[in-house]
Amino acid sequence: MQGSSSSSPTIDLPRLRAAFDGQVIAPDDPGYDQARTLFYGGWDRHPGAIVRPTDAAGVARVVALAGDAGLELAVRGGGHSLAGHSTTEGGLVVDLSAMTDLEIDPEGRTAWAQTGLTAGAYTAAVGKHGLATGFGDTGSVGIGGLTLGGGVGFLVRRLGLTIDSLLAAEVVTADGRILQVDDQHHPDLFWALRGGGGNFGVATRLRFRLHPVDQIVGGMLLLPASAEVIEGLVATAEAAPEELSGIANVMVAPPLPLLPEAAHGQLVVLALLCYAGEAEAGERALAPFRALAEPVADMLQPMSYADMFAAEEEEYHPTAVSRTMLVDTVDREVAGTIMRHLEASDAPVRVAQLRVLGGAMARVPVEATAFAHRDSRIMVNLAAFYEGPDDRVVRQAWVDEFAAALHQGDSRAYVNFIGDEGPDRVREAYPGPTWDRLAEVKRRYDPGNLFRRNQNIPPAPGPA
Ligand SMILES: Cc1cc2nc3c(=O)[nH]c(=O)nc-3n(C[C@H](O)[C@H](O)[C@H](O)COP(=O)(O)OP(=O)(O)OC[C@H]3O[C@@H](n4cnc5c(N)ncnc54)[C@H](O)[C@@H]3O)c2cc1C
């Protein structure tokens, strides 16, 4: 490794290969293009090398090498960053995908998970014991990135955010130390890890609480889209018992064989609902959703929790523009605005996603974790896929205008759904006192801002 301080230091590949036997992928290696590909298309970056360590000691070596050489360092778990943060042009990627150990303690109801695991792999493995930790809505998302930002999914109202089930972490910090972090050890860092993203180090292992969640009642319910149905769905979800969490996508029905042909291309509400509790009570909780309109398709049924994650195509790399927001209400007027904007666009894939929050997530005190938007009632994610730069401009303008029309007085945002939107937007993930505290923790653990390929929180000024 060259200790150059020029703006583009080079990588000493022979030395890197010697240090990481077989786990270094450089531009001339077979598999390089595959290894540099992220979930989202549009991030055509060329890292100087991608390193795949197998444990915390290996991660610490990569971190130290990047720091010494002045190389930009990107941390990659599941590769689902919306902002392309898990790659770099010319720098080093520490790719955690070879770190997939999972130690399950079914009696103690905890699990230690290496952070190369995806939500789907973790959920399937602990599900064999009738246990679960709540992650998001997609199996291929990495548990590291998702957890460090907060984690909002199908169990959010019943069990809270993913971080509300996080008990401890093993973290490699910028100075190459491997820290064991929990409520008692480095409590400031443990607080910051729960919502502050990848700013403070590389989390190599996470210890989660496991909850008895085996069979759920849920799945997909497809309703015809109208302002009335959208308003009713949100009101029904807010009134539902906490065992029920869900995600409603108002979108154009894709031409899937499992959907009636007449629905293809029509605007629908594709609701993914999950009642994590006793089956009969689940049927009762789901009935008012079914009654909102004659369903286009009703696939709600008893199933294992792990089956909530839909099958995915491996080589699926959409290009998308998006905007995330937190709002207080989706009444008839707001629902009408949603319908009008979706009707006005001709993007083949366009969506307004609604997630009713509350329940266990809202009961955790605001100052307990770095995720502070605990009292937010509804998360809204707007997105459109695009094809090429000209189309991107059109779709971005649509998303911007749509978001402005839905704006309800403040611009709070959930960090994990922010794209490449600039530093002001990162501040909107963290209210003032949370931001100040995070900047102070950053100063203590990463004063040189080595971990900056993320929704960045610069270190507070002052001595390290
Ligand atoms: C299709 C899709 C569905 C999603 N659904 C949900 C959802 O339902 N709920 C939800 O809460 N979020 C959801 N997200 C957002 C997701 O949580 C974030 O994109 C998250 O950052 C992805 O983590 P990753 O490890 O897959 O990504 P990566 O791209 O690998 O990592 C993203 C960033 O996270 C940081 N990071 C990742 N792993 C580590 C680690 N071990 N240590 C330190 N830093 C790390 C790094 O800064 C990195 O740049 C979704 C995203 C996509 C693309």
Side-chain angles (χ1 to χ4, degrees):
M1 197 68 44
Q2 281 175 5
S4 159
S5 60
S6 78
S7 57
S8 49
T10 51
I11 296 178
D12 180 346
L13 278 173
R15 189 169 154 207
L16 194 59
R17 287 193 200 287
F20 293 93
D21 188 29
Q23 297 288 341
V24 175
I25 305 167
D28 291 336
D29 291 337
Y32 174 76
D33 280 332
Q34 179 72 27
R36 72 186 180 89
T37 303
L38 302 185
F39 170 79
Y40 277 115
W43 304 111
D44 187 22
R45 304 285 190 272
H46 295 79
I50 298 159
V51 188
R52 291 186 175 148
T54 51
D55 58 12
V59 171
R61 292 209 303 283
V62 189
V63 168
L65 287 169
D68 290 350
L71 287 161
E72 184 170 77
L73 178 67
V75 181
R76 179 190 173 132
H80 279 60
S81 165
L82 277 69
H85 282 147
S86 42
T87 185
T88 153
E89 189 62 43
L92 269 186
V93 175
V94 57
D95 175 349
L96 305 168
S97 61
M99 296 177 44
T100 56
D101 281 355
L102 178 60
E103 288 167 31
I104 305 168
D105 174 1
E107 283 74 44
R109 291 197 179 152
T110 61
W112 268 113
Q114 277 191 321
T115 46
L117 283 162
T118 62
Y122 175 104
T123 302
V126 302
K128 290 186 182 138
H129 302 273
L131 299 168
T133 305
F135 292 102
D137 65 359
T138 302
S140 58
V141 170
I143 63 165
L146 181 134
T147 303
L148 297 176
V152 182
F154 294 127
L155 299 172
V156 65
R157 299 178 79 241
R158 156 120 193 249
L159 299 175
L161 300 168
T162 307
I163 49 172
D164 300 331
S165 292
L166 185 67
L167 301 170
E170 177 184 78
V171 182
V172 174
T173 47
D175 55 8
R177 281 184 300 161
I178 302 171
L179 302 182
Q180 304 301 324
V181 179
D182 59 23
D183 260 342
Q184 305 297 317
H185 307 91
H186 306 281
D188 53 345
L189 181 54
F190 189 50
W191 172 85
L193 289 176
R194 286 173 291 162
N199 274 282
F200 309 97
V202 185
T204 44
R205 294 201 308 156
L206 298 170
R207 182 166 183 250
F208 292 106
R209 188 182 304 289
L210 290 167
H211 306 267
V213 176
D214 190 5
Q215 288 289 108
I216 57 108
V217 193
M220 191 196 291
L221 178 69
L222 219 74
L223 299 168
S226 68
E228 193 183 355
V229 167
I230 295 169
E231 179 199 23
L233 184 131
V234 170
T236 306
E238 286 189 313
E242 285 180 13
E243 284 83 356
L244 194 137
S245 304
I247 298 173
N249 295 297
V250 190
M251 63 189 291
V252 178
L256 296 176
L258 54 88
L259 303 180
E261 239 180 81
H264 296 178
Q266 303 298 311
L267 273 182
V268 294
V269 179
L270 188 160
L272 298 165
L273 301 172
C274 173
Y275 183 92
E278 192 261 317
E280 260 178 48
E283 293 294 340
R284 280 198 299 280
L286 293 169
F289 291 94
R290 289 175 154 136
L292 287 168
E294 181 66 34
V296 178
D298 181 346
M299 290 169 239
L300 300 173
Q301 59 188 316
M303 60 164 86
S304 74
Y305 173 66
D307 288 341
M308 283 300 295
F309 291 133
E312 294 176 63
E313 283 172 44
E314 220 167 272
E315 288 312 316
Y316 177 61
H317 301 292
T319 45
V321 287
S322 64
R323 181 82 176 185
T324 188
M325 50 207 305
L326 294 159
V327 302
D328 293 327
T329 180
V330 175
D331 57 15
R332 183 68 63 91
E333 199 186 323
V334 174
T337 304
I338 292 172
M339 284 300 293
R340 272 196 306 284
H341 280 80
L342 288 166
E343 282 163 353
S345 169
D346 62 356
V349 178
R350 55 192 192 274
V351 60
Q353 182 185 78
L354 308 170
R355 300 179 182 219
V356 169
L357 305 171
M361 163 187 160
R363 280 195 293 277
V364 176
V366 166
E367 60 286 352
T369 66
F371 179 102
H373 299 311
R374 295 282 179 176
D375 60 351
S376 294
R377 295 182 62 183
I378 305 161
M379 185 184 291
V380 181
N381 294 319
L382 309 176
F385 287 7
Y386 66 86
E387 294 290 338
D390 294 345
D391 194 32
R392 186 183 204 284
V393 174
V394 175
R395 304 310 172 201
Q396 184 68 62
W398 176 79
V399 163
D400 291 347
E401 211 269 315
F402 196 171
L406 293 179
H407 195 255
Q408 291 180 7
D410 74 48
S411 305
R412 288 170 299 163
Y414 168 44
V415 73
N416 270 353
F417 282 128
I418 298 178
D420 188 13
E421 298 172 42
D424 290 350
R425 195 70 178 125
V426 185
R427 294 220 49 161
E428 287 168 351
Y430 306 108
T434 305
W435 176 267
D436 294 345
R437 202 171 156 190
L438 283 167
E440 189 54 30
V441 179
K442 177 79 171 174
R443 182 183 66 75
R444 292 181 57 193
Y445 290 93
D446 185 17
N449 207 1
L450 178 66
F451 299 107
R452 58 184 178 278
R453 288 290 298 155
N454 46 41
Q455 301 296 357
N456 196 234
I457 300 162

